[in-house]
Amino acid sequence: MKELLGGTRITYLGHATFRLTTPGGENILIDPFLTDNPQTPEELKQVGDLDTILITHGHFDHFADAIPLARQTGATVVANFEISSYLQGQGLENVMPLNKGGTAQVGGVRVTGTHAFHASSIQTEDGSTIYGGEPMGFVVEFESGFKLYHAGDTAVFGDMRLIGELYGPDLALLPIGNRVVMSPFEAAHAARLLGVRHVVPMHYQTFPFLPGTPEELERHVRELGLELEIHVMKPGEELGS
Ligand code: NI
Ligand code: MN
């Protein structure tokens, strides 16, 4: 794994939140959910310097810390058009709208927005909900050529094969929680369609409505006869360490 990463560091902060550090030292946070994330180790709730924040969709468990962290760090926030507009309305200046199919060079990486079968809305402080545009996943390509795919919240879909064909990710971060995202069964098929050799399961067991387990994923992957490595990461752990 270390060789494949080519100097990229990937730290799991629990649920769907990952910190990526590029070989050039740029820090990227995907789906900032830290303060109220029951899986994030206390000592990692402060992430320090950030250059870029990627947001898959507006649900609280992917978005809750976005505004305070962007204000605190000055990081560029990459999100769909609706979330970008909302953030600009909140006074954030470094916002980069990106929609599905678009690729942008940001924070030392190339980021592509991909499809996701889910919903997206933003809960405001008064409890009302505003439209959050379409949910996304991201393909992130590092300077070493290493590529990861963060699926966001999604069901499995046939065009994951297209993501595999066009971008060939080395690693997929896949939700397995079931109920509100895909099940471990669907995640195994997602890995098959993507053709990835490495999978990190995410977005499970955080709340009672996310009962999926890595053991179920392993069973389905074995049943499909896939040759891939499942890396079960503990919150706070760095991949390949
Ligand atoms: Ni969601
Ligand atoms: Mn979610």
Side-chain angles (χ1 to χ4, degrees), residues 7 9 18 35 39 63 110 137 142 183 192-193 207 237:
R9 299 176 61 185
F18 290 82
T35 309
Q39 292 186 341
F63 184 72
R110 277 161 62 85
F142 295 84
S183 63
R192 175 178 65 79
L193 291 163
F207 304 108
E237 202 179 322

Side-chain angles (χ1 to χ4, degrees), residues 122-140:
I122 302 164
Q123 245 173 334
T124 59
E125 270 167 27
D126 66 10
S128 61
T129 296
I130 59 175
Y131 179 59
E134 291 260 321
M136 290 199 288
F138 292 113
V139 173
V140 180

